[in-house]
Amino acid sequence: MIGLTDETGSTAYPNRSGYETTGQTAQQALGQGWLDAVHPEDRELVLARSAQARRSCTAMRIEYRMRRRDAVRRGSSMSDSRA
């Protein structure tokens, strides 16, 4: 799943396979809406690590749980390479 975020970490372009995997619409995945699919216990970590990577302009990788369209929670990961 690929998406494009702006400098604040808000999703500016949600990837179709990403939002379809979670059962969201493109509109729901925009901004911080994609976080609704992240397990509530993992959201703070995902937000903090993403913000840290943006501030330091460094690459990151986070493993977290995400809700699929069938409501099953599965492991997922997020990578960000600042090139």
Side-chain angles (χ1 to χ4, degrees):
M1 298 188 290
I2 299 171
L4 179 63
T5 61
D6 64 17
E7 64 279 352
T8 68
S10 292
T11 299
Y13 168 77
N15 179 272
R16 184 176 183 168
S17 69
Y19 63 77
E20 286 182 347
T21 297
T22 63
Q24 293 179 300
T25 65
Q27 191 65 32
Q28 290 169 324
L30 284 172
Q32 298 294 316
W34 63 275
L35 281 169
D36 291 339
V38 175
H39 192 287
E41 294 175 4
D42 297 342
R43 288 179 191 156
E44 189 174 319
L45 171 68
V46 169
L47 285 172
R49 295 277 307 278
S50 297
Q52 179 184 19
R54 281 192 312 280
R55 281 191 307 272
S56 63
C57 294
T58 58
M60 62 137 191
R61 181 172 177 85
I62 305 170
E63 303 227 354
Y64 59 95
R65 294 165 287 180
M66 179 170 270
R67 183 196 68 236
R68 295 187 323 200
R69 73 174 340 125
D70 60 6
V72 173
R73 299 274 180 183
R74 296 286 184 210
S76 187
S77 65
M78 178 190 321
S79 296
D80 182 359
S81 58
R82 303 276 170 185

